[in-house]
Amino acid sequence: MPMSPRTLRALLPALSLAALLIAIAIVQPRAMSYFGLNLMLNLALPIAFATMAQLCVITVNDLDLSIGSFVSFCACVGATWLAESPAFGVLVLLGCILVYAAVGALIHLRNLPSIVVTLGMSFVWLGCSVLLLPTPGGTAPDWLVSIVKLKTPVVPFAILASAVLALAVHGALMGSAYGAVLRGSGGNPQAIARAGWSQLTAKVALYALAGLFGVLAGLTLVGMTTSADANIALRYTLLSIAGVILGGGEFVGGRVSPIGAVLGALTLALAGSLLSFLRISPDWQIGAQGAILIVVLALRALVNRAEARAA
């Protein structure tokens, strides 16, 4: 029985990841061991958290251009204040989440373009990072390092944590009544308003969740690297957008897939390893990753066209 276009579209993120793993297994078979996967996916978890933060914002038809600098600031806080004064560090990180929620409220109340506001916030977060940690350094708390570098049996910790993240967000956003309201605020805001739900509350909630996932991305990143600097996660902005789109998300309509987004993040994390195994110069790797993204999006466009014809 042939696979329907809708089913193929849903499976495309998993198929893309599987194709990448097969390519890695052919080029470098030893990389498919526990140690190899653990090494390749060393930084996959913070990318997955950043991608989930971007997914929350895209759910309401917005785009966050500040997530990279925000993750960098959280990493700097984790390597300085959180290590030296844990209580103050936690308060600062909670304040960061509140700032994210306030940005969402500002965008909604003043009807401002999210791209412009978040672009401006990216410079604010970057400036705060430079003030806090002018040069690379700091030290990650021992408890944080022990958590993110946990050695789990059979399956690397990054894969298990990513799976838990995907399933938890999928259950909350796709399988709950309020999750449907949050998605509807991006897909059909007029219907949500007529049903008596607050658009402002929905946007604030999703921006607050984005801030929470951004904090978790920064903490896991500093736990992996054991230090930080102001520019440590700037590339996460584009990686997070690419992860959501690779995972089947759309820029409009509130169409997102938490499981697909995590699979997209893992795909991007592994793409760099494959390009290294192929001995492609680091100067060309960003372009090669972009080419991979274009190929996957082209395949999805073909599947969408086939789905439209079938309908």
Side-chain angles (χ1 to χ4, degrees):
M1 183 178 178
M3 187 180 298
S4 67
R6 179 171 296 183
T7 303
L8 182 59
R9 184 181 188 279
L11 291 177
L12 193 57
L15 294 175
S16 302
L17 179 60
L20 195 61
L21 288 171
I22 292 172
I24 291 174
I26 293 173
V27 175
Q28 186 59 263
R30 289 179 294 180
M32 299 309 294
S33 64
Y34 178 96
F35 176 77
L37 286 172
N38 192 53
L39 191 62
M40 289 190 296
L41 294 172
N42 187 38
L43 295 177
L45 189 56
I47 295 175
F49 277 124
T51 301
M52 204 58 72
Q54 189 70 250
L55 178 139
C56 292
V57 176
I58 289 179
T59 299
V60 287
N61 295 336
D62 287 348
L63 196 63
D64 186 4
L65 298 184
S66 67
I67 188 63
S69 55
F70 178 71
V71 172
S72 295
F73 177 70
C74 293
C76 291
V77 171
T80 53
W81 288 331
L82 191 63
E84 299 164 3
S85 179
F88 181 68
V90 170
L91 286 176
V92 171
L93 294 175
L94 290 175
C96 290
I97 297 174
L98 292 177
V99 170
Y100 242 77
V103 168
L106 175 65
I107 290 172
H108 178 78
L109 292 174
R110 305 302 298 176
N111 195 26
L112 300 172
S114 60
I115 292 179
V116 175
V117 176
T118 57
L119 179 62
M121 286 302 301
S122 71
F123 296 113
V124 173
W125 296 121
L126 181 59
C128 292
S129 300
V130 173
L131 289 174
L132 179 58
L133 204 60
T135 58
T139 304
D142 293 335
W143 59 267
L144 183 58
V145 175
S146 63
I147 290 175
V148 299
K149 293 189 175 181
L150 181 67
K151 301 295 183 183
T152 53
V154 184
V155 180
F157 174 73
I159 296 178
L160 291 177
S162 298
V164 171
L165 172 65
L167 293 175
V169 178
H170 180 85
L173 197 59
M174 313 298 286
S176 68
Y178 193 62
V181 172
L182 294 177
R183 286 184 288 113
S185 64
N188 195 340
Q190 293 81 12
I192 295 299
R194 285 196 298 269
W197 295 96
S198 170
Q199 282 286 102
L200 173 62
T201 302
K203 182 161 285 193
V204 168
L206 283 168
Y207 267 81
L209 282 174
L212 173 61
F213 288 128
V215 167
L216 293 176
L219 293 181
T220 52
L221 180 58
V222 77
M224 292 290 183
T225 59
T226 68
S227 62
D229 72 81
N231 303 306
I232 193 171
L234 294 186
R235 67 191 186 98
Y236 280 23
T237 297
L238 295 180
L239 284 176
S240 65
I241 296 172
V244 174
I245 302 306
L246 276 175
E250 304 283 352
F251 283 122
V252 294
R255 296 182 64 175
V256 292
S257 171
I259 294 177
V262 171
L263 292 176
L266 295 178
T267 301
L268 292 171
L270 289 172
S273 298
L274 175 61
L275 297 173
S276 297
F277 292 147
L278 294 174
R279 298 183 180 180
I280 295 178
S281 169
D283 296 333
W284 292 92
Q285 286 189 12
I286 296 178
Q289 286 179 329
I292 292 173
L293 176 61
I294 291 172
V295 169
V296 173
L297 292 180
L299 290 174
R300 199 170 80 189
L302 291 175
V303 172
N304 289 344
R305 190 171 300 175
E307 184 179 351
R309 285 199 301 265

